[in-house]
Amino acid sequence: MKFYIVAQYLAQIEKESSRLVITKMLSELISKCPKDEISQLILFLQGQLAPPFKSIPLGIGEKLVVQSISLSTGYRSRKVNEQFNLKGDLGLVAEELISKRKQQPLAFKELTLTDVYNAFMKIAKNAGEGSQMRKIRYLAELFNSSKPVEARYIARFSQGDLRVGIGDPTILDALSYIYSGDKSMREMIERAYNLRSDLSLVAKVLFENPNKLKTFQPTPFYPIRPALAERLPNAEEIFKKLGKCYVEGKYDGMRIQIHKKGNVVKIYSRRLDNVTHMFPDVVEATKSLPYTSMIIEGEAIGYDKKKDRFYPFQFTMQRKRKYGINEMKKVIPLHVYLFDVMLINDKNIMDKSYEQRRKVLFDVVPRNHKLFKTPDYIFANSADDIQSFFNKSVRRGLEGIMAKDKDKPYIAGARKFAWIKLKKSYGGLGDTIDAVVLGYYLGKGKRTAFEFGGLLIGTYNTVRGVFESLARVGSGFTEDEMKLLKDYFEKIKVKRKPNNVDSNIKPDFWVVPKFVIVVTADEITVSPMHTCAKEYFKNKKGLALRFPRMISLRSTKGPYDATTSKEVYEMYKMNK
Ligand code: AMP
């Protein structure tokens, strides 16, 4: 497929604001793609060379792109940098400077999608001495053969984001449109995606034989998109919804999905990154479990044996550092609270009820194991049972409880009231919100020195396919954090409001919506200023946070699996 066609479609989509039109245009583009290039196209649209669990990062810094543009066009790096500072978008810089090159390249070859993908793969895999120079050259060669609009998306892809407002939900809808002209096939396609976590593979199989998607089963080393928890305001509501149910302690650690086949073990994070390197102790312990294959899930949390207490989340996360893991292993011994099982000895048990899965899980976890544990739990016969277990769990230092429908299967990638969480109170909301940063403000008064005055945050509306604004957050940051945030946002700022953002408020700078922070507030209120969940209100009103503050700089969630607008609406109703 000619890359020019891809670039032209993307430029059209970028100008469009109607979700439906975007989905239709995207499905037209995908349907034009030959079978053997479909995986590359989907990955290109997602701004990645491979799904996260395959760990093939692009590894291209801004400086490298600046130097490549300079090498290809004949403009000095300083000039390219000036343009970058002005536009805040390397894509637009590449497009403009390539349209008025100072030097014509010796060789010009019309690019195909495969050429572009392969060139980026070559760049990603290049390592060792002199690799930086080689990478610059390879990228410059791509620019040499680029038309201006192609250069825009090549430069943006190098930064992992095409900035056209297409997320996975839109791609899923577009794939369905190709075959049914509407969203009716989305559920089937999404099921396959939930089991493989690789949209490029799903699209390829769909193109070959749509019926084959139905046969997908959980398979080791393809992470399963995690089941998610709903919230309800109190024990009574939970009991009303679930009736007699299992209630477990909610541990505030890091969710891990452990896969085993033969003697190979891999571990994936909630965002489906391969994090095996962080947990050599878990790998060893899993290897010694007597099963030929398994997929199990649990919460890893640092445990202080002397004080019989769990370490705070941030402390456990220190294991993220690649080096010194073995030392960390001694300093921060782990407990892994296994709470679900999806596959055992090649047998899919995802579709069994939780009651049945628990039985398997209790067989899997050896008694008195020093690392693997099962969560504290009760079988609740009443709302009072739930309430007293909640009180006990919070006293023990846990985050709250997780109530589970005994009859439901493992519901990958979705909520649907199979799990309901009740957390100890944070502010007035009874929970925290994982919100996406949409823009930032410059500082005033004392904060002028940092040029940072807070953030405009929002949530994703899965139906409308846009990020909606929710609050301006100005407190909860330390000075160091403000500096860090400002430096980071400087890099992802964009000139115009991205077309997948719906906001009546204009921050000083817009950013690409991809950074997720954890916030809380005193209350959720209806406001004419914000757009969150606006479809539920008249007169263009939406939801806003009262006295919002930041709790944690970084969430473990990505922009599309952070708190959704609908969830904020549910929280609003709950708090009322
Ligand atoms: P939240 O991130 O607040 O939506 O809560 C859901 C998270 O709680 C899951 O993703 C798990 O990481 C974590 N969790 C802790 N304990 C449990 C448990 N017993 N069962 C399921 N999830 C748990």
Side-chain angles (χ1 to χ4, degrees):
M1 184 180 208
K2 282 185 187 152
F3 185 66
Y4 186 52
I5 297 178
V6 179
Q8 276 179 316
Y9 265 94
L10 291 173
Q12 287 301 318
I13 289 174
E14 195 174 333
K15 281 194 237 150
E16 188 55 59
S17 60
S18 149
R19 228 357 68 183
L20 187 65
V21 177
I22 290 177
T23 309
K24 285 189 173 161
M25 281 159 78
L26 186 62
S27 76
E28 206 178 290
L29 165 64
I30 299 174
S31 63
K32 286 199 169 148
C33 184
K35 267 187 198 162
D36 58 344
E37 281 181 303
I38 183 71
S39 288
Q40 280 124 314
L41 177 61
I42 300 294
L43 289 166
F44 191 82
L45 294 171
Q46 291 179 306
Q48 59 188 13
L49 285 168
F53 65 91
K54 293 204 172 149
S55 312
I56 311 181
L58 279 157
I60 300 178
E62 287 163 355
K63 245 196 201 153
L64 197 149
V65 185
V66 167
Q67 282 171 303
S68 305
I69 297 173
S70 161
L71 188 65
S72 170
T73 59
Y75 289 96
R76 286 169 184 270
S77 294
R78 203 162 51 111
K79 164 85 180 165
V80 183
N81 264 320
E82 260 172 38
Q83 287 291 310
F84 182 30
N85 285 337
L86 212 70
K87 293 187 159 62
D89 174 0
L90 281 167
L92 296 180
V93 176
E95 181 169 20
E96 181 171 329
L97 296 184
I98 278 169
S99 73
K100 40 186 200 192
R101 297 172 180 283
K102 279 193 166 174
Q103 63 197 28
Q104 287 307 319
L106 293 175
F108 181 87
K109 171 180 176 294
E110 201 171 13
L111 291 172
T112 64
L113 176 62
T114 303
D115 291 334
V116 175
Y117 181 83
N118 287 348
F120 276 110
M121 198 53 129
K122 199 159 97 177
I123 293 171
K125 295 211 159 148
N126 218 290
E129 207 180 314
S131 63
Q132 210 60 6
M133 268 325 290
R134 283 195 298 277
K135 288 181 181 193
I136 293 171
R137 223 181 51 231
Y138 295 151
L139 188 56
E141 279 165 13
L142 265 186
F143 286 135
N144 285 348
S145 296
S146 302
K147 299 185 180 80
V149 68
E150 292 175 313
R152 184 195 316 173
Y153 296 105
I154 287 174
R156 287 189 186 160
F157 180 78
S158 77
Q159 301 303 294
D161 194 333
L162 301 181
R163 303 190 183 193
V164 288
I166 301 173
D168 288 354
T170 315
I171 301 177
L172 283 166
D173 281 344
L175 287 172
S176 172
Y177 265 84
I178 295 174
Y179 285 88
S180 60
D182 56 28
K183 290 186 188 176
S184 58
M185 274 179 68
R186 170 156 171 174
E187 200 177 314
M188 194 258 277
I189 299 169
E190 196 164 358
R191 176 190 170 271
Y193 179 39
N194 288 338
L195 290 173
R196 285 290 184 284
S197 301
D198 180 350
L199 253 183
S200 65
L201 174 88
V202 169
K204 188 163 168 268
V205 175
L206 181 72
F207 268 44
E208 283 161 8
N209 177 2
N211 282 327
K212 222 173 134 193
L213 286 184
K214 292 187 191 147
T215 65
F216 274 22
Q217 297 291 322
T219 307
F221 314 131
Y222 286 99
I224 295 169
R225 296 181 70 223
L228 305 171
E230 303 263 10
R231 5 175 133 62
L232 282 176
N234 54 45
E236 284 84 53
E237 294 286 330
I238 293 178
F239 193 73
K240 237 198 265 165
K241 186 87 195 170
L242 298 184
K244 294 180 183 180
C245 58
Y246 288 100
V247 185
E248 301 171 354
K250 186 173 189 301
Y251 299 81
D252 189 16
M254 177 176 164
R255 182 173 186 161
I256 54 175
Q257 204 178 90
I258 308 170
H259 289 228
K260 173 181 194 244
K261 176 120 190 132
N263 209 26
V264 182
V265 173
K266 291 187 184 172
I267 300 176
Y268 304 98
S269 69
R270 190 187 184 289
R271 292 179 72 171
L272 312 180
D273 287 315
N274 183 337
V275 290
T276 313
H277 65 272
M278 278 173 74
F279 300 102
D281 34 3
V282 182
V283 171
E284 281 316 305
T286 310
K287 276 186 187 166
S288 62
L289 297 177
Y291 300 96
T292 49
S293 68
M294 61 198 301
I295 302 178
I296 50 178
E297 202 171 40
E299 192 83 359
I301 182 164
Y303 177 67
D304 184 343
K305 202 171 165 193
K306 269 195 214 137
K307 293 191 185 146
D308 184 28
R309 279 203 80 80
F310 296 114
Y311 286 114
F313 174 70
Q314 295 298 346
F315 198 72
T316 309
M317 291 301 281
Q318 287 181 23
R319 285 201 167 210
K320 256 203 159 147
R321 277 192 242 139
K322 280 208 171 171
Y323 305 101
I325 296 278
N326 281 322
E327 291 83 75
M328 283 289 173
K329 206 164 88 179
K330 286 181 211 129
V331 185
I332 313 176
L334 280 189
H335 279 182
V336 178
Y337 287 87
L338 293 173
F339 54 70
D340 223 312
V341 46
M342 294 85 132
L343 176 101
I344 201 92
N345 283 345
D346 291 329
K347 202 162 162 239
N348 170 15
I349 53 168
M350 272 176 77
D351 301 326
K352 298 209 177 299
S353 69
Y354 185 54
E355 185 126 58
Q356 289 168 304
R357 299 202 308 282
R358 289 186 94 241
K359 283 206 183 98
V360 179
L361 189 67
F362 275 80
D363 284 341
V364 169
V365 185
R367 293 213 185 292
N368 298 324
H369 196 277
K370 72 174 195 309
L371 187 112
F372 290 131
K373 313 273 172 196
T374 46
D376 282 353
Y377 78 98
I378 56 159
F379 184 75
N381 286 305
S382 65
D384 284 348
D385 284 354
I386 300 179
Q387 185 62 48
S388 62
F389 187 69
F390 173 81
N391 296 344
K392 193 174 132 201
S393 302
V394 172
R395 270 202 307 276
R396 271 204 62 208
L398 302 190
E399 213 192 355
I401 53 167
M402 196 64 108
K404 298 189 174 173
D405 189 325
K406 61 182 175 32
D407 302 318
K408 286 256 167 76
Y410 185 92
I411 302 178
R415 295 179 198 277
K416 300 192 181 158
F417 285 101
W419 296 0
I420 305 176
K421 62 183 168 178
L422 184 63
K423 288 207 220 174
K424 67 184 171 198
S425 183
Y426 286 100
L429 298 191
D431 198 356
T432 51
I433 291 176
D434 296 88
V436 184
V437 177
L438 306 179
Y440 66 99
Y441 295 88
L442 298 181
K444 290 203 182 83
K446 225 180 111 195
R447 287 189 178 178
T448 320
F450 309 105
E451 291 180 52
F452 178 78
L455 304 170
L456 178 68
I457 55 166
T459 49
Y460 190 62
N461 184 318
T462 50
V463 180
R464 299 181 61 218
V466 292
F467 292 95
E468 299 171 329
S469 81
L470 174 68
R472 179 177 168 168
V473 187
S475 68
F477 312 98
T478 64
E479 286 187 1
D480 282 351
E481 283 171 344
M482 282 193 243
K483 222 180 136 332
L484 211 80
L485 285 175
K486 196 211 144 221
D487 289 350
Y488 176 75
F489 291 130
E490 190 103 292
K491 292 195 187 120
I492 59 164
K493 74 180 176 194
V494 285
K495 263 200 142 172
R496 285 187 300 132
K497 177 163 69 82
N499 72 351
N500 55 345
V501 170
D502 177 13
S503 170
N504 304 326
I505 294 181
K506 194 175 168 300
D508 291 335
F509 291 101
W510 295 104
V511 298
V512 179
K514 61 180 191 180
F515 190 84
V516 183
I517 63 168
V518 187
V519 297
T520 191
D522 281 5
E523 204 185 343
I524 299 171
T525 56
V526 181
S527 142
M529 305 283 280
H530 289 281
T531 53
C532 177
K534 72 179 186 191
E535 72 259 43
Y536 297 101
F537 301 96
K538 288 192 197 114
N539 304 329
K540 297 196 172 156
K541 285 185 178 156
L543 291 174
L545 297 182
R546 217 167 96 85
F547 298 125
R549 50 206 173 269
M550 193 196 63
I551 298 269
S552 159
L553 201 58
R554 217 174 238 291
S555 152
T556 54
K557 296 174 188 166
Y560 297 106
D561 55 8
T563 311
T564 60
S565 299
K566 180 152 181 270
E567 281 183 85
V568 177
Y569 178 64
E570 299 292 338
M571 287 170 81
Y572 162 75
K573 277 199 311 189
M574 248 162 59
N575 287 317
K576 258 180 50 168

